C-alpha cells in the first residue's frame, strides 16, 4: 500500500529490497491454502504473481518459481491454454532447466489424467499426445537422466504409434547412467525389441531377444519375439498383408516352430485361467497366426510340410468362420486369408 510507504530513506530502501520476497511468500501462502482445498486461493496466487519478473527484474530465481506456480494454478482452474502459454514463456525466456522440467511435469500429469478419463480411444489420443510432449520436455530438461522417465514416455509413444521414438527412448532408458531399476529392465528391453520389429530392424533385435530368452524363456512376448526373429512375420498396412523376413534357415525355422507350439499352449492356458474360450481370446489368435506362418515357411524348405498351413486354417475356419474378427478386428483374418492363398 503506497500510503504505508516509509518516509525514512533507510526504511524505504529496506522495503524496496524486501518487497520481492514478501510478494513471493504472499503468493506461496495462497498456493499452500489452495493445495489444502481452498480453491479460491489459486486465483489469488495467480494475481499476486502476475508480472513478477517485470516488476522485479533482478529477481530471476523467484520469477521462475512464480511462473512455475502460475502453470500449476491455471491447470487447477482448468485454464489449459493459459497454462501452456505461461509454460512457453519459460521456454522462450530461457529459464533454468530445473524450473522448465518442473512445469513440464505438471503439464504432463494434467494431460495424462485427461487421457485416462477419455471415454473413447479417439478422444484419448490428443491429450495423450500432449502428455508425451511435456514428459519429453521434462526428460530433456531434467538434471539427472531418468530411466523411468524415458520408459514412461516410450510407453506413451508406443500407444501413439511413434515407433522410432519408442526405440530411442527404450534404448536411453537402458543406458547405465539412466539408472533404470533392475525390475524394469526386462520391460524396457522388451519394449525396444517391439519397436525394432515394428521398424523392420530384425537383425538389431536378435541379441536383445537372446537376453530376454535367458531371463524368461516361456514369457508369451518373448516367445513371439523369438518366432519373429527366427522365421519372420506378417504385417498389415492399409489393408495389405506383407512379410518381414527373419533368419529363415531350416534350422531356425525348426526352433521357431518349437517356440510357436509353446506359445499357442501358453496362450490357451492363459485363456482357460481367465475363464475364456480360446476362440474368444485375442492372444490365442495372435499365437496361431505366428504358428501358422512358421508352418507355411517350413513348407517352403521342406516339401513334406507344404500345404499343411492351409489344412489347419480350413480346420480353424470350420470352428470359427470369421477367423477371430469379432475378437481381434480385421488384422488376424487378413493374415490368415493371405496364408490360405499361399
Amino acid at each position: 500500500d503506497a500510503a504505508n510507504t516509509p518516509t525514512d530513506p533507510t526504511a524505504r530502501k529496506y522495503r524496496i529490497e524486501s518487497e520481492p520476497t514478501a510478494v513471493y511468500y504472499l503468493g506461496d501462502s495462497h498456493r499452500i491454502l489452495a493445495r489444502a482445498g481452498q480453491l479460491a486461493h489459486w486465483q489469488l496466487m495467480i494475481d499476486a504473481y502476475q508480472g513478477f519478473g517485470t516488476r522485479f527484474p533482478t529477481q530471476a530465481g523467484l520469477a521462475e518459481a512464480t511462473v512455475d506456480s502460475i502453470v500449476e494454478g491455471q491447470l487447477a482452474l482448468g485454464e489449459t491454454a493459459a497454462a501452456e502459454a505461461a509454460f512457453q514463456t519459460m521456454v522462450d525466456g530461457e529459464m533454468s532447466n530445473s524450473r522448465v522440467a518442473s512445469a513440464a511435469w505438471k503439464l504432463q500429469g494434467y494431460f495424462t489424467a485427461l487421457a485416462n478419463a477419455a471415454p473413447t480411444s479417439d478422444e484419448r489420443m490428443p491429450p495423450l499426445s500432449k502428455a508425451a510432449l511435456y514428459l519429453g520436455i521434462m526428460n530433456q530438461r531434467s538434471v539427472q537422466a531418468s530411466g523411468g522417465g524415458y520408459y514412461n514416455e516410450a510407453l506413451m509413444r508406443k500407444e501413439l504409434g511413434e515407433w522410432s521414438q519408442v526405440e530411442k527412448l527404450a534404448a536411453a532408458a537402458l543406458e547405465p547412467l539412466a539408472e533404470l531399476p533392475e525390475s524394469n529392465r526386462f520391460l524396457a528391453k522388451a519394449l525396444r525389441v517391439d519397436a525394432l520389429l515394428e521398424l523392420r530392424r530384425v537383425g538389431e533385435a536378435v541379441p536383445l531377444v537372446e537376453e530376454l530368452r535367458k531371463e524368461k524363456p516361456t514369457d508369451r512376448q518373448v516367445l513371439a519375439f523369438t518366432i519373429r526373429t527366427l522365421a519372420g512375420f506378417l504385417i498389415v498396412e492399409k489393408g495389405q498383408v506383407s512379410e518381414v523376413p527373419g533368419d529363415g534357415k531350416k534350422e531356425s525355422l525348426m526352433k521357431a516352430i518349437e517356440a510357436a507350439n509353446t506359445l499357442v499352449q501358453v496362450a490357451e492356458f492363459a485363456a482357460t485361467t481367465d475363464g475364456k474360450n480360446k476362440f474368444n481370446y485375442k492372444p490365442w489368435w495372435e499365437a496361431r497366426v505366428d504358428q501358422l506362418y512358421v508352418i507355411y515357411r517350413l513348407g517352403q524348405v521342406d516339401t513334406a510340410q507344404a500345404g499343411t498351413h492351409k489344412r489347419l486354417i480350413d480346420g480353424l475356419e470350420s470352428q470359427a468362420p470369421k477367423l477371430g474378427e469379432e475378437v481381434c478386428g480385421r488384422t488376424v483374418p487378413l493374415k490368415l486369408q493371405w496364408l490360405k492363398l499361399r
Side-chain angles (χ1 to χ4, degrees), residues 9-338:
T10 302
R12 256 199 326 273
K13 180 175 178 293
Y14 178 76
R15 174 170 177 164
I16 291 169
E17 290 174 349
S18 62
E19 186 178 4
T21 304
V23 171
Y24 173 77
Y25 282 110
L26 171 64
D28 197 49
S29 298
H30 288 306
R31 184 175 65 91
I32 291 168
L33 290 169
R35 282 183 167 184
Q38 298 184 43
L39 303 185
H41 285 270
W42 284 123
Q43 189 59 55
L44 294 172
M45 180 205 73
I46 293 168
D47 293 342
Y49 282 162
Q50 286 291 3
F52 188 98
T54 303
R55 289 152 59 199
F56 310 113
T58 62
Q59 302 293 321
L62 289 179
E64 291 185 4
T66 64
V67 183
D68 187 8
S69 294
I70 285 172
V71 169
E72 180 182 2
Q74 287 168 330
L75 290 175
L77 294 173
E79 298 172 359
T80 311
E84 290 189 273
F87 177 80
Q88 192 58 46
T89 67
M90 300 180 80
V91 175
D92 295 342
E94 299 182 351
M95 293 188 182
S96 66
N97 282 335
S98 60
R99 280 297 174 191
V100 172
S102 174
W105 174 250
K106 295 177 177 71
L107 282 157
Q108 77 79 28
Y110 176 84
F111 283 110
T112 296
L114 283 184
N116 291 340
T120 68
S121 177
D122 286 346
E123 291 172 279
R124 174 176 168 78
M125 290 302 108
L128 184 65
S129 181
K130 285 285 186 79
L133 168 68
Y134 288 114
L135 181 54
I137 293 172
M138 191 208 78
N139 285 333
Q140 294 164 15
R141 295 292 191 121
S142 294
V143 176
Q144 175 64 45
S146 165
Y150 292 138
Y151 176 71
N152 288 332
E153 185 187 350
L155 288 176
M156 291 181 182
R157 301 288 182 187
K158 176 182 177 179
E159 192 172 347
L160 293 165
E162 298 173 2
W163 289 106
S164 180
Q165 285 286 85
V166 173
E167 192 278 322
K168 291 175 184 175
L169 289 161
L174 291 165
E175 288 292 329
L177 288 176
E179 298 182 349
L180 185 69
E182 195 60 38
S183 57
N184 287 340
R185 289 188 66 79
F186 176 89
L187 297 173
K189 284 180 192 175
L191 188 57
R192 189 176 178 213
V193 170
D194 205 5
L196 287 168
L197 294 179
E198 286 286 339
L199 295 167
R200 327 290 190 255
R201 291 157 56 185
V202 178
E204 292 176 64
V206 171
L208 284 168
V209 173
E210 288 302 312
E211 290 179 26
L212 292 172
R213 287 178 65 192
K214 290 175 184 176
E215 294 180 55
K216 295 185 180 181
T218 59
D219 179 87
R220 211 156 60 205
Q221 194 175 26
V222 173
L223 287 166
F225 290 157
T226 301
I227 296 161
R228 291 169 189 178
T229 53
L230 291 171
F233 54 98
L234 297 176
I235 59 169
V236 178
E237 292 179 319
K238 297 180 180 178
Q240 299 297 312
V241 179
S242 59
E243 295 179 85
V244 176
D247 179 75
K249 296 174 185 173
K250 186 172 182 179
E251 180 184 350
S252 295
L253 293 173
M254 294 305 294
K255 292 178 182 177
I257 195 59
E258 183 180 341
N261 292 339
T262 302
L263 178 59
V264 170
Q265 292 169 2
V266 168
E268 188 165 348
F269 179 77
T272 302
T273 302
D274 288 353
K276 295 180 179 178
N277 184 299
K278 63 186 180 183
F279 291 106
N280 296 321
Y281 194 61
K282 184 177 179 180
W284 182 81
W285 280 106
E286 292 170 340
R288 286 307 305 266
V289 169
D290 283 333
Q291 182 192 46
L292 289 162
Y293 180 71
V294 178
I295 293 170
Y296 158 68
R297 294 287 288 113
L298 271 170
Q300 293 181 314
V301 297
D302 181 355
T303 54
Q305 298 279 352
T308 302
H309 68 285
K310 294 184 181 183
R311 292 190 291 275
L312 291 170
I313 294 170
D314 286 338
L316 268 180
E317 206 165 12
S318 68
Q319 298 175 80
K322 292 189 176 181
L323 293 174
E325 183 175 349
E326 308 95 325
V327 182
C328 308
R330 287 291 297 149
T331 300
V332 163
L334 279 172
K335 290 178 180 179
L336 292 174
Q337 288 157 6
W338 184 93

